Amino acid sequence: MSISYDAVLDDMLAVAREAGSLTQAHFKRFRDLEIGIKGPADFVSDADRESELLIRRYLFERYPGWSFTGEEFPPVDHEDQEYRWLVDPIDGTTNFINGQHYTISIALRRGNTTVAGVLYNPPADEMFSGIAGQGAFMNGERLSVSGQADIGLMMVGTGLPIPGLSLYPGAYERLDAIRAPIGGVRIVGSAANSCAYVALGRLTGYFEETGFVDTAAGILFVEEAGGIVTDWWGRGPEYYEQTGAMIVANRATHAYLIDKLKDVPRKELKHAKGL
Ligand code: LIP
């Protein structure tokens, strides 16, 4: 049965907007939010849970056989393992609970390929979307990564790791070395939005050790916008999808970060897992 990804994308856009309205209602009263602690610097709010439940319900009604991996509830393995949703109901929860920009990320995977994605930044009303092989867009504008190749003008995004992350050792010395000769470093606070900013050309590159559920849609947009995505050592999706150590960038910034990160002890695969 051939599937029209255009029709699927329309549903993804519609549910992202609905989740946007739901989360915005909580966002407006962020100072009064109930905050749950999932771990060190890892938070959850009712908005994260409600957003995921809304997206699950909407997608299961329309695609009952497809499987689902979210952030707040256990994954659902339906009979059709070929298609799986990867959903981050609020990416940038720490931003969200402090009244700063966040994103809703929905990606559709067919086997080991991301075939469609939607990223919505409700506070900015920026809707990113794309289908593999058909380009990536923000509010209808086609995206292309920055052409910036001058190191002194590069703008790099990242996240500040907490102790306990496997790539934490030496992180701040690395950041110092990366920061020294370039134009600027930014902590956007959402891995998904950081990828979207690379696809849009607001960042020339981004690197972090983070989750693939957060970044699957954003990575599709960067590749559709002419960017490069590898792990910190130049290896492909079979590595960064599992280890989370990713570089997402235009060609020049990718080469710059690969050079700056080459001496970091490699993060190897724990075990093969289907995503
Ligand atoms: C967040 C990422 C961010 C990273 C945070 C956290 P969450 O995801 O978007 O880039 O720095 O540690 O992983 O927890 O808000 O979905």
Side-chain angles (χ1 to χ4, degrees):
M1 175 182 84
S2 79
I3 292 178
S4 145
Y5 290 134
D6 292 314
V8 176
L9 191 70
D10 288 345
D11 283 327
M12 293 164 77
L13 290 163
V15 72
R17 279 207 187 282
E18 278 195 33
S21 313
L22 179 152
T23 51
Q24 278 286 88
H26 289 280
F27 188 69
K28 288 198 174 78
R29 53 175 201 80
F30 70 88
R31 291 181 187 80
D32 312 323
L33 284 170
E34 289 266 329
I35 298 165
I37 313 284
K38 294 200 292 188
D42 191 5
F43 310 109
V44 63
S45 73
D46 288 344
D48 298 75
R49 297 187 193 99
E50 290 172 22
S51 175
E52 184 161 327
L53 290 174
L54 179 151
I55 296 169
R56 273 173 187 251
R57 232 187 343 266
Y58 188 101
L59 295 175
F60 285 166
E61 268 165 27
R62 288 159 180 77
Y63 308 95
W66 294 359
S67 299
F68 188 104
T69 299
E71 284 235 329
E72 309 309 339
F73 299 96
V76 175
D77 298 329
H78 279 151
E79 64 275 5
D80 182 338
Q81 294 286 319
E82 186 184 10
Y83 282 99
R84 178 177 292 274
W85 301 106
L86 298 185
V87 172
D88 192 337
I90 293 184
D91 185 52
T93 298
T94 308
N95 278 15
F96 179 86
I97 62 178
N98 290 285
Q100 298 181 32
H101 284 205
Y102 64 98
T103 36
I104 294 160
S105 178
I106 304 173
L108 177 61
R109 300 273 285 178
R110 183 180 189 188
N112 289 330
T113 304
T114 305
V115 290
V118 159
L119 263 183
Y120 186 40
N121 173 345
D125 194 22
E126 291 181 340
M127 180 68 84
F128 297 84
S129 61
I131 293 173
Q134 298 181 29
F137 302 81
M138 197 271 280
N139 295 351
E141 176 207 331
R142 183 144 191 171
L143 303 180
S144 58
V145 296
S146 156
Q148 186 57 254
D150 178 340
I151 289 180
L153 290 169
M154 287 177 181
M155 181 70 138
V156 169
T158 192
L160 300 180
I162 52 169
L165 273 181
S166 65
L167 294 172
Y168 174 79
Y172 291 87
E173 293 74 17
R174 282 197 297 273
L175 189 54
D176 183 39
I178 287 168
R179 197 268 167 276
I182 66 174
V185 167
R186 291 292 177 274
I187 314 290
V188 174
S190 156
N193 215 10
S194 304
C195 293
Y197 281 11
V198 173
L200 194 53
R202 288 179 184 160
L203 293 171
T204 61
Y206 160 71
F207 75 102
E208 191 171 6
E209 181 185 8
T210 186
F212 183 63
V213 171
D214 307 46
T215 53
I219 285 170
L220 171 68
F221 303 153
V222 169
E223 292 179 333
E224 289 294 319
I228 299 174
V229 183
T230 68
D231 78 352
W232 289 12
W233 305 275
R235 303 175 296 186
E238 66 284 8
Y239 281 89
Y240 66 73
E241 289 182 4
Q242 194 185 104
T243 67
M246 54 188 78
I247 299 176
V248 172
N250 72 3
R251 189 163 295 285
T253 308
H254 184 267
Y256 173 76
L257 291 171
I258 286 283
D259 177 56
K260 289 291 184 183
L261 297 169
K262 66 181 181 297
D263 302 325
V264 178
R266 290 182 174 222
K267 189 172 178 184
E268 298 303 344
L269 300 180
K270 277 199 238 49
H271 52 77
K273 79 174 172 187
L275 258 179

